[in-house]
Amino acid sequence: MHTVAPPRQTLTAPIKRVRFVYVAAFFLFWTIVISGRLVWLQIIRHSHYVEKAASQQERSVTVAPRRGLLYDRNLRELAMTVSVDSIYAVPKELGSNAADAASLLAHVVHDDPDDRFTSEQSILGRFTASHNFAWVAHRVTPEIAERVKDLNLKGVYFQKEFKRFYPNNDLASQVLGYVGAEDVGLGGLEREFEEDMHGTPGKVRTALDARRKVLGSIEQEPLPGENLVLSIDANIQHIAERALDEQVEKTKALHGVVVVQDPRSGQILALAVSPRFNPNETRHLDPKALSNLAVSDVYEPGSTFKLVTYASALDGANVKPEDLVDCQGGAITIFGRTIHDDISDRGMGVVTVQRALEKSSDVAAVKLAMKLGNERFYKYMRGFGFGDRSGIELPSETRGLLRPVRKWDPASIGSLAIGQEVGVTPIQLVTMVSTIANGGMYLPPHIILSETEKMKGDAELKATPFRPQNELPKNLPDGSHRVITELTAAKMRSMMQSIVVNGTGTLAALNGYSSGGKTGTAQKIDAATHTYSKTKHVASFAGIAPVSTPAIAVAVVIDTPTAGPSYYGGSVSAPVFAEVAQQVLEYLGIPHDQPFNPKKHADEIKLAKVEHDDHPEDSNADLNAMFAEANALPDDDPLKGTANAGPAKPEPEPAASQPAKRSVLNLLPEKVLAAFRANGGANTMADAADNKPLTAPKVAPLAQRKEDGGVIVDATKRVAVPAFNGAALRQVVQQANSVGLRVQPVGSGLAREQVPSAGTMVPVGTQVVVRFLR
């Protein structure tokens, strides 16, 4: 009988699935951890460890880029960058002599007691903090660098760095700004275009071995910054600053501003602020002198704002200069407020609109504004650029103060008509005058012509000397818009000329050129009491020249004149306009449109009677609303929260005697003078030894053409303006050409209106504006 053998036992135990899963998960976890760590080190933190290794194996020195240059329109350097020595040390090479070296170096480089960086304690502290590199002094003068070299200290070295240099010292300093110790723009255009002008820094990397010995170096060249070409003419800027400085000093004023603009392009030819600062000396700057008051501060314009009122009434309410207006004996009451004319003009009754503007009548201005109405008057004010930023390429520009109609009280239109309850900047003021000068087109002001990588001497970078044009550019800049018609602008220019001839602006008269403008005297607002000051005023004048074809517009604002016989705009600011305009027109070689007398003296000019402004109690604008408006400005507006922005009560009147005008020929360098004469500028003036008026050129009966295309007009030749009424355009042009006049047509059809009127005696070459209607 056979027995069955038991089953054979296996030699290995079966693998359990659970244990396998545990082991696999364990290895998978560590694979993920290790992979994650590698990703963290090799990818995410790769640059960190590369830099850390480089710091141990290399020494890196940043090389500053060359900052962009600032040129005027003639490519004259206004701000440039020069290479100077900076001093550094390697402390470990100084060894135990570090303290002595710090003392010796500080004795040489510490030339300013307020400069803590170069003090002995500061230098020694940097020597102690670092073993490989420590600055001693940045951008030292050549004399200091030479004295340090004479010390012959081991471990002390020199490195070239760039330093900002302003070759004309304080010329246009508020426009240009200045650069701080770290080569960063801290004001003006230096600040506004910091990113473009700074450039991209370079690096020099030096490889070191374990004993810190140099093995080699790699250089990464810096990229220079962009250069800016400004619309400013340095010669015109100098003329404006010199005239302004003299008047600020003479009248002991707080400060003053003069802006010269090309009315047919909006370009700023000069922007002068007094007092100024020297951007080459930044250690002890007066903060009060850093602000560009032409764009960042506002004042109540007073009677200069009446140009807006009258232009708006002529354009929008069908008012004519010859219309009659009743000045009511010099007082008018609206909604409980009484507004008075100047004391000397009280009692003035029915006069023409033109005469009312000549005498700066507040009553007439209020009546004209009320004829327009709130909405239309506000629209014209905004059209002239008030209540909004102009967009000029300068930092810290304010939009000024102009409340919308819904915030006006019932009598606000009366205050606004005479330049109260509104805060303006000098830039806004001169742009308003330019709008009238160019035929009624608002052109935003600009101070930058171009931004370029090209340097002076490059064939592609050419100077753009200012040459006045008779027409607006074909391609108008962004923001341009028509405010008033060309005919209205022509009427306003004629009325502005009458202000200088017969009104409050007689001290703005020029020699050989016609001029027009408006005076203004505003009482300043006391920020503490919200009332008008009885002793502090702002004197202003805004004008154009020549009137026939304006080449320049000029605004003069002088804050708080305290010395002299008068504080009125007609006696304080108008003479500055006259001096600046006279010299600029001569410098530009503009043909005379009036008789030129080379021996014209102050006693030959008709003196204006000194008249007085209204008493402070007559100034009853809503000042609390003005302060509320200032506090409601955007946070980036420089006036935000200051609530001290303005002077107020307008009402200027002329005064004083006309100072003898100094010729620009006494101010310009010999090279400029030679070029001026070579271009024919001197031919427009009679010889200084001859006091006879200019005689007609022999080449032609009316005018003589120069080689460069310019025209010299006989200033003594005057003709009567023909009557064009009912004539077609061709007949008008032929008739005007026959007597040597030019025509600016408006509209189409037959001639219905003209400025100047028929029969007016005008210089040859005058432009007559004629309106044509079908």
Side-chain angles (χ1 to χ4, degrees), residues 568-581:
Y568 301 116
S571 58
V572 174
S573 296
V576 179
F577 165 86
E579 184 172 354
V580 171

Side-chain angles (χ1 to χ4, degrees), residues 111 125 144 178 261 273 353 507 626 646 662 719 723 738 762:
D111 58 342
I144 291 179
Y178 67 104
Q261 187 177 39
V273 179
V353 170
L507 297 188
M626 283 274 287
R662 189 170 58 252
V719 295
S738 66
V762 298

Side-chain angles (χ1 to χ4, degrees), residues 93-250:
E93 295 183 12
L94 298 175
S96 59
N97 296 324
D100 294 336
S103 177
L104 290 172
L105 291 169
H107 183 73
V108 176
V109 301
H110 188 55
D111 58 342
D112 183 358
D114 296 330
D115 184 9
R116 297 182 179 179
F117 186 83
T118 57
S119 66
E120 180 179 348
Q121 294 80 2
S122 181
I123 295 175
L124 183 58
R126 292 192 294 273
F127 287 174
T128 305
S130 174
H131 294 288
N132 300 314
F133 185 89
W135 283 112
V136 174
H138 288 284
R139 304 176 184 91
V140 298
T141 64
E143 294 77 14
I144 291 179
E146 193 64 31
R147 291 175 60 189
V148 171
K149 291 177 181 178
D150 291 341
L151 294 176
N152 196 25
L153 295 175
K154 180 182 179 182
V156 176
Y157 303 96
F158 293 85
Q159 178 176 312
K160 290 294 183 180
E161 283 193 308
F162 289 123
K163 180 181 180 179
R164 201 60 164 172
F165 177 63
Y166 301 86
N168 303 294
N169 294 318
D170 64 351
L171 185 78
S173 56
Q174 281 88 355
V175 174
L176 305 180
Y178 67 104
V179 172
E182 300 300 324
D183 201 33
V184 175
L186 299 178
L189 294 172
E190 298 278 22
R191 169 187 164 190
E192 186 71 3
F193 291 86
E194 164 61 26
E195 184 175 349
D196 298 329
M197 297 181 64
H198 189 276
T200 304
K203 286 186 177 180
V204 177
R205 293 185 176 181
T206 303
L208 306 173
D209 62 11
R211 296 185 177 182
R212 312 299 293 173
K213 291 184 178 180
V214 176
L215 299 178
S217 62
I218 301 176
E219 295 186 11
Q220 178 183 344
E221 292 293 332
L223 300 178
E226 296 284 322
N227 306 315
L228 299 181
V229 180
L230 311 187
S231 61
I232 284 178
D233 184 313
N235 291 323
I236 298 178
Q237 178 75 22
H238 173 72
I239 291 170
E241 288 184 354
R242 177 165 177 171
L244 179 63
D245 288 346
E246 290 180 356
Q247 190 70 336
V248 168
E249 174 63 25
K250 179 181 178 181

Side-chain angles (χ1 to χ4, degrees), residues 2 254 339 439 480 509 614 756:
H2 297 282
L254 288 181
I339 296 176
S480 302
D614 289 334

Side-chain angles (χ1 to χ4, degrees), residues 459-716:
E460 297 183 17
L461 182 61
K462 298 180 179 179
T464 54
F466 174 59
R467 296 185 177 89
Q469 303 297 320
N470 293 330
E471 304 292 338
L472 292 172
K474 293 183 179 180
N475 298 321
L476 296 177
D478 294 339
S480 302
H481 57 266
R482 180 159 293 282
V483 184
I484 56 177
T485 65
E486 292 185 16
L487 190 63
T488 299
K491 293 177 180 178
M492 285 300 301
R493 293 195 295 271
S494 178
M495 293 171 69
M496 290 167 66
Q497 183 176 9
S498 70
I499 294 173
V500 174
V501 175
N502 301 312
T504 64
T506 55
L507 297 188
L510 307 180
N511 185 3
Y513 299 102
S514 59
S515 62
K518 185 69 187 76
T519 57
T521 307
Q523 293 171 260
K524 295 186 68 174
I525 299 174
D526 190 328
T529 62
H530 289 203
T531 60
Y532 288 108
S533 170
K534 297 181 179 181
T535 59
K536 298 180 180 179
H537 304 80
V538 175
S540 59
F541 185 90
I544 58 176
V547 175
S548 56
T549 307
I552 55 173
V554 183
V556 182
V557 180
I558 297 183
D559 190 355
T560 318
T562 58
S566 173
Y567 54 76
Y568 301 116
S571 58
V572 174
S573 296
V576 179
F577 165 86
E579 184 172 354
V580 171
Q582 182 78 39
Q583 295 173 9
V584 170
L585 294 178
E586 289 179 1
Y587 163 67
L588 295 174
I590 303 299
H592 293 132
D593 65 343
Q594 298 284 336
F596 179 81
N597 187 344
K599 291 189 176 182
K600 191 173 187 180
H601 295 289
D603 57 356
E604 297 175 321
I605 299 175
K606 182 180 179 180
L607 300 181
K609 180 182 178 182
V610 179
E611 301 175 356
H612 301 283
D613 272 333
D614 289 334
H615 296 293
E617 57 267 26
D618 294 334
S619 302
N620 43 27
D622 190 350
L623 299 186
N624 290 325
M626 283 274 287
F627 279 85
E629 183 70 8
N631 289 319
L633 290 172
D635 291 337
D636 62 342
D637 195 292
L639 295 181
K640 173 70 173 178
T642 59
N644 62 353
K649 171 70 179 143
E651 186 63 26
E653 291 306 314
S657 60
Q658 172 79 8
K661 297 179 180 61
R662 189 170 58 252
S663 172
V664 71
L665 306 180
N666 297 328
L667 299 177
L668 300 179
E670 187 61 34
K671 290 183 179 180
V672 176
L673 180 60
F676 171 67
R677 288 170 172 162
N679 289 329
N683 294 336
T684 64
M685 296 177 290
D687 186 77
D690 185 8
N691 60 0
K692 297 180 181 180
L694 294 178
T695 57
K698 298 179 180 179
V699 179
L702 297 178
Q704 176 182 355
R705 185 167 298 277
K706 299 187 298 183
E707 295 181 358
D708 62 357
V711 176
I712 302 175
V713 178
D714 179 7
T716 64

